[in-house]
Amino acid sequence: MTNLGLITNTRTVLDEAQLHKYIGGKTALVAQGGGQRGIFTSGVLDAFLLSNFDPFDEFYGTSAGALNICAYLSRQAGLGKSFILDLTTAPQFFNLFSFIRRKQYLNLEWALDRICDYPYKLDIDMGRRMIGQRRAYAATTNVTTLKDHYFPMLQEDWYQVLLATSAIPNLFEGSVCLNETSFIDGGVSASIPVQEAWRQENRTIIVIRTEECSSEDLSVLEDQPIVSEPPTWFRESLNGLQMQWQEKILNWSKDWTGFFDKQIVKAQESKHAQHLNLMNGGRWLFGAPDIYRLSHLFGEKFDSGWADMLMVHYQTYALTQEFLKKPPDDCFVLQIAPEIALKTSSLMSEPDDILHDYQLGLDAGFRFVERYNLVNRTQVNAVKAPKLWQPSQTG
């Protein structure tokens, strides 16, 4: 069944007839994190706002993805762009040399304080009105269990929730306390919270990615035959599915132990500069697709706590990738992603690169709205079309 699709800034891979069969059920918007690479998401969501496009019942975001969703719900086109372009590039937010010399951490509080006041003021009241009876959640990671946890966005504790979902270990100092429990960056356990959207019975899931889809992902999309029969609304037992996943996790854990033994030895033999530690760590925690970028990550600072977090991220991200490639047949997953790798990185991107990737997001967003509306109009017309009188064939 062709129940997945892809729209980039230049290309569309989509079985419209199949998507047509899922529209009408609950629809979720999922936004991946990515630090400054979240500028692509800002562009997509600004295109949605400029098109007056909001067919969603639920929203799920991680880190920068959560902040972008807040700006979208508050109907503030350009706020996500300004946050990344103006605030995350300021030395008050992050300075590499200060981090190296004086261990000055990522100053998320400074950036969030700026959006409490003009000219960046986040319109919380408007956001709450736009949510209405709908639901919007930010993904975080419980420090003790390392499991994903979802907090409502734009409520009374909105500041702490946005702080928690972006609290990147080793860059942000400590953790964030919510309901007497400590939480860190949602990217550790749910860099793309698409499974949570599915567990909450959303049947059309729109996922905004800050990474390009690999050729392997695209081949899965393009090689599948187009099927005309209606979807089978079969929901596999969640317990059964979790058992399958747990079995895979056990196998990965065995591989993981050997992998880290080798990487620790490498890190001890080759002590990289602290700024390399920083940049690789940031890319991982923002959801980078290749876990082996961590081969020389921590050096002498590596400990069992970091090993646990890395293993959780490795496992959950691999499961998410598998879910995106082969979603359950009771939902349709449509990804919006850049055609090629973004020019921006998690931190310290050049302003021109940020603006470039924002334009890619705008292009992808407008392309998506046009195609989605076309499918939606087709469905509406099919429902409203009257039964035409047919002449009698008798006599």
Side-chain angles (χ1 to χ4, degrees):
M1 181 180 295
T2 316
N3 61 330
L4 68 165
L6 171 70
I7 294 181
T8 74
N9 47 292
T10 61
R11 187 161 60 104
T12 299
V13 182
L14 177 64
D15 182 352
E16 295 181 0
Q18 194 68 15
L19 173 60
H20 177 277
K21 299 165 187 174
Y22 290 82
I23 291 179
K26 283 176 62 178
T27 300
L29 176 66
V30 176
Q32 182 179 9
Q36 290 175 340
R37 286 179 292 175
I39 193 65
F40 177 82
T41 304
S42 300
V44 172
L45 293 181
D46 280 354
F48 287 5
L49 288 176
L50 294 172
S51 304
N52 194 29
F53 179 79
D54 185 0
F56 307 108
D57 300 293
E58 294 184 354
F59 305 84
Y60 299 87
T62 298
S63 190
L67 177 67
N68 276 313
I69 286 178
C70 286
Y72 171 75
L73 288 170
S74 299
R75 297 304 188 251
Q76 292 174 279
L79 179 60
K81 173 187 176 184
S82 296
F83 185 90
I84 294 174
L85 182 62
D86 299 344
L87 301 182
T88 70
T89 59
Q92 296 96 321
F93 179 73
F94 181 76
N95 183 279
L96 177 61
F97 295 105
S98 296
F99 180 86
I100 294 173
R101 294 171 182 173
R102 299 192 301 272
K103 200 62 177 179
Q104 177 181 329
Y105 289 92
L106 192 70
N107 198 344
L108 287 169
E109 292 96 335
W110 174 84
L112 291 180
D113 287 344
R114 300 288 76 74
I115 65 171
C116 292
D117 202 356
Y118 296 102
Y120 305 106
K121 184 176 177 61
L122 181 66
D123 193 341
I124 302 296
D125 292 335
M126 175 62 77
R128 291 171 182 168
R129 287 197 295 271
M130 289 299 100
I131 291 176
Q133 299 302 311
R134 300 184 292 178
R135 303 194 298 175
Y137 295 99
T140 64
T141 301
N142 185 304
V143 171
T144 303
T145 64
L146 294 182
K147 292 182 179 179
D148 52 326
H149 187 90
Y150 300 88
F151 286 99
M153 291 192 282
L154 296 176
Q155 302 304 309
E156 295 300 326
D157 58 354
W158 70 269
Y159 185 102
Q160 290 298 106
V161 169
L162 286 182
L163 196 63
T165 190
S166 306
I168 308 166
N170 203 41
L171 293 187
F172 179 82
E173 186 174 15
S175 57
V176 179
C177 185
L178 284 163
N179 299 336
E180 300 182 352
T181 304
S182 295
F183 295 91
I184 54 175
D185 177 29
V188 174
S189 58
S191 56
I192 312 174
V194 62
Q195 291 104 316
E196 178 66 12
W198 174 71
R199 285 191 289 265
Q200 297 303 320
E201 300 185 347
N202 288 280
R203 292 300 167 253
T204 303
I205 305 176
I206 312 304
V207 181
I208 305 177
R209 302 286 300 273
T210 51
E211 303 160 331
E212 76 281 10
C213 287
S214 68
S215 58
E216 179 184 356
D217 297 332
L218 298 181
S219 65
V220 171
L221 292 173
E222 294 170 338
D223 290 344
Q224 290 186 0
I226 295 178
V227 183
S228 59
E229 68 269 14
T232 303
W233 294 102
F234 163 73
R235 180 177 176 82
E236 182 178 359
S237 167
L238 183 59
N239 290 333
L241 185 62
Q242 291 288 2
M243 289 296 292
Q244 295 177 27
W245 286 0
Q246 287 299 323
E247 182 178 350
K248 292 179 181 179
I249 286 175
L250 290 175
N251 293 332
W252 282 334
S253 296
K254 297 176 183 177
D255 297 337
W256 188 255
T257 301
F259 166 75
F260 261 103
D261 287 341
K262 295 178 182 178
Q263 302 315 316
I264 292 172
V265 171
K266 288 182 180 180
Q268 291 173 344
E269 292 176 350
S270 178
K271 298 178 181 178
H272 287 285
Q274 197 169 18
H275 70 280
L276 292 180
N277 177 329
L278 162 71
M279 291 310 297
N280 286 336
R283 293 183 71 177
W284 161 60
L285 288 167
F286 282 121
D290 187 359
I291 196 67
Y292 294 100
R293 291 173 182 169
L294 302 171
S295 59
H296 301 292
L297 180 57
F298 292 107
E300 293 180 337
K301 295 188 295 179
F302 185 85
D303 58 26
S304 60
W306 275 103
D308 289 342
M309 279 192 287
L310 290 168
M311 184 173 71
V312 166
H313 175 77
Y314 170 75
Q315 293 169 345
T316 57
Y317 193 83
L319 289 171
T320 299
Q321 290 292 83
E322 182 176 343
F323 183 97
L324 290 171
K325 291 178 183 178
K326 292 185 178 181
D329 65 354
D330 63 350
C331 71
F332 194 104
V333 174
L334 182 51
Q335 298 184 60
I336 307 173
E339 179 66 23
I340 58 176
L342 297 175
K343 290 187 176 182
T344 48
S345 57
S346 300
L347 282 172
M348 299 188 296
S349 305
E350 294 294 329
D352 287 346
D353 291 339
I354 293 175
L355 292 172
H356 173 273
D357 291 347
Y358 175 75
Q359 184 61 50
L360 296 185
L362 278 176
D363 295 342
F366 284 127
R367 175 183 287 268
F368 174 86
V369 170
E370 180 180 8
R371 188 56 63 93
Y372 186 93
N373 283 340
L374 177 63
V375 176
N376 196 39
R377 283 195 299 270
T378 302
Q379 185 201 47
V380 171
N381 291 337
V383 171
K384 292 183 177 180
K387 293 184 178 180
L388 299 179
W389 175 82
Q390 298 291 335
S392 173
Q393 300 300 315
T394 62

